[in-house]
Amino acid sequence: MLPPSRSLAVRDVEACGAYTLLRLERDGADAGVPGQFFMLRADPAPADAYLPRPISAAWADDDELAFLLDIRGPGTSALTRAGTVEVLGPLGHGFDLAPGPALLVGGGIGAAILPWLVRLLPDARVLLGFRTE
């Protein structure tokens, strides 16, 4: 059974290196766990981007859900201009987290989930890789 879709207000949009950080008001929405993803669509949806975009949350707390976007086309671009975003999720299975030391490895947009994991695994070390400095 799918979770309900919700419209969440955009709290902030900011450049974050080569990516864009989209922060939404959580407004009681289920944040899920690291490793799950959400289907996001700008509200109202632009005519040239009719399908929602699957995006993993970068982090969640009591007040917000945050997503790191790699702007590639009209769908992700519309998310940066929206006042509200239609959110379906969380979907998929999250990571099985065990206490103790961990090595978290990511690069590029794949590093988006690491801030949330580091909050939950304080003994973790992080290894990042990127194409450019």
Side-chain angles (χ1 to χ4, degrees):
M1 184 166 157
L2 286 176
S5 179
R6 299 189 60 165
S7 283
L8 300 179
V10 174
R11 178 181 266 195
D12 192 30
V13 176
E14 62 185 271
C16 190
Y19 305 107
T20 301
L21 185 64
L22 173 68
R23 295 171 42 213
L24 304 177
E25 296 285 342
R26 186 158 160 210
D27 195 27
D30 184 356
V33 297
Q36 290 185 295
F37 69 98
F38 296 81
M39 300 298 286
L40 305 182
R41 179 182 5 217
D43 187 16
D48 56 349
Y50 55 91
L51 294 174
R53 302 298 183 249
I55 301 176
S56 294
W59 73 76
D61 60 25
D62 292 340
D63 299 321
E64 71 181 14
L65 278 168
F67 300 90
L68 193 63
L69 306 177
D70 187 5
I71 307 302
R72 294 289 180 141
T76 50
S77 180
L79 291 170
T80 67
R81 297 184 308 274
T84 60
V85 173
E86 185 180 324
V87 178
L88 174 65
L91 302 167
H93 299 283
F95 299 123
D96 291 325
L97 303 179
L103 177 62
L104 306 177
V105 180
I109 197 66
I113 192 65
L114 297 181
W116 198 358
L117 287 170
V118 167
R119 289 179 181 183
L120 298 174
L121 299 168
D123 294 331
R125 293 187 177 266
V126 178
L127 179 63
L128 296 172
F130 297 94
R131 282 188 208 155
T132 63
E133 291 181 32

